[in-house]
Amino acid sequence: LSGEKVQVKIIHKGMGAISESDVLLASATGAIVLGFNVRPERNAQDAADQEGVDVRLYTVIYDIAEEIKKAMIGLLDPTWREVDLGRAEVREVFRIPKFGRIAGSYVEEGTIQRNAQTRLLRDNVVVYEGKIDSLRRFKEDVNEVRFGYECGISIANFDDIKIGDVIEVFEQEEITPDLN
């Protein structure tokens, strides 16, 4: 089951019931105890409870292999991929006392979604990254505005919006790590 990124180390293997010494060895090395068609001895189970050692028992060999693979994947850091949702150009900036500056924008591609992660670009340079605080179409609060429509966008904790800025909306998607 070992791969390039994660190695499985077998500390000890044996036959018969899981003993107290098996549990103490696992405790000292930070390992888990896997048993196939066996049960722990009474004092071994007590020691496991006391030491906080994870003892897992199986009757199907494929379940052991599958669970070890899942544990190995859990040791890897997740990778993230950015998925573009939409892009809007700021055509006018309005000042509203309760909300601050609102970007009167035209959705050039995709969909702009409320509470989505956003990036404000000025001359193709990232000026700010944050979240969309408020999204309005005419005077109504909306959850999304699609390509070809105009809307008002307020970015949380940011007021330095100028005509010609571009607002990109995206989300982060977690990619399940691969063992190879």
Side-chain angles (χ1 to χ4, degrees):
L1 293 176
S2 292
E4 294 174 12
K5 297 178 184 175
V6 179
Q7 299 292 317
V8 174
K9 291 183 181 177
I10 298 174
I11 307 296
H12 172 68
K13 59 184 174 180
M15 294 174 52
I18 297 169
S19 68
E20 185 176 6
S21 63
D22 295 333
V23 172
L24 294 176
L25 178 62
S27 175
T29 57
I32 62 172
V33 177
L34 302 175
F36 178 66
N37 280 336
V38 294
R39 305 294 305 162
E41 296 172 351
R42 181 77 179 131
N43 55 353
Q45 186 61 52
D46 293 341
D49 293 340
Q50 185 177 1
E51 296 290 327
V53 173
D54 191 6
V55 177
R56 299 182 187 184
L57 306 171
Y58 300 91
T59 56
V60 179
I61 195 76
Y62 299 108
D63 291 344
I64 296 174
E66 191 62 33
E67 193 158 322
I68 291 173
K69 282 182 185 178
K70 287 179 184 176
M72 291 169 58
I73 288 172
L75 292 174
L76 298 174
D77 292 330
T79 53
W80 297 89
R81 179 179 66 191
E82 188 175 289
V83 178
D84 292 329
L85 299 175
R87 181 181 177 102
E89 179 187 356
V90 178
R91 296 206 170 159
E92 189 64 54
V93 178
F94 304 99
R95 183 132 184 79
I96 298 178
K98 288 184 180 180
F99 296 103
R101 295 182 139 211
I102 304 295
S105 307
Y106 176 78
V107 181
E108 294 179 330
E109 57 187 67
T111 303
I112 305 299
Q113 296 178 356
R114 183 192 308 189
N115 296 326
Q117 291 179 293
T118 187
R119 175 180 304 120
L120 185 97
L121 304 173
R122 187 170 294 146
D123 299 322
N124 290 324
V125 175
V126 177
V127 176
Y128 183 78
E129 281 196 27
K131 285 196 172 267
I132 290 182
D133 189 32
S134 158
L135 183 63
R136 291 181 168 248
R137 176 121 171 85
F138 297 112
K139 292 188 178 202
E140 292 182 31
D141 277 330
V142 292
N143 290 325
E144 68 179 29
V145 178
R146 297 180 186 275
F147 164 75
Y149 290 99
E150 294 179 338
C151 60
I153 301 172
S154 171
I155 300 174
N157 303 319
F158 187 74
D159 259 1
D160 186 27
I161 301 170
K162 296 186 175 157
I163 295 173
D165 288 350
V166 174
I167 298 171
E168 290 183 343
V169 179
F170 61 95
E171 65 183 7
Q172 297 286 345
E173 183 178 87
E174 184 176 350
I175 299 172
T176 305
D178 185 14
L179 291 175
N180 297 324

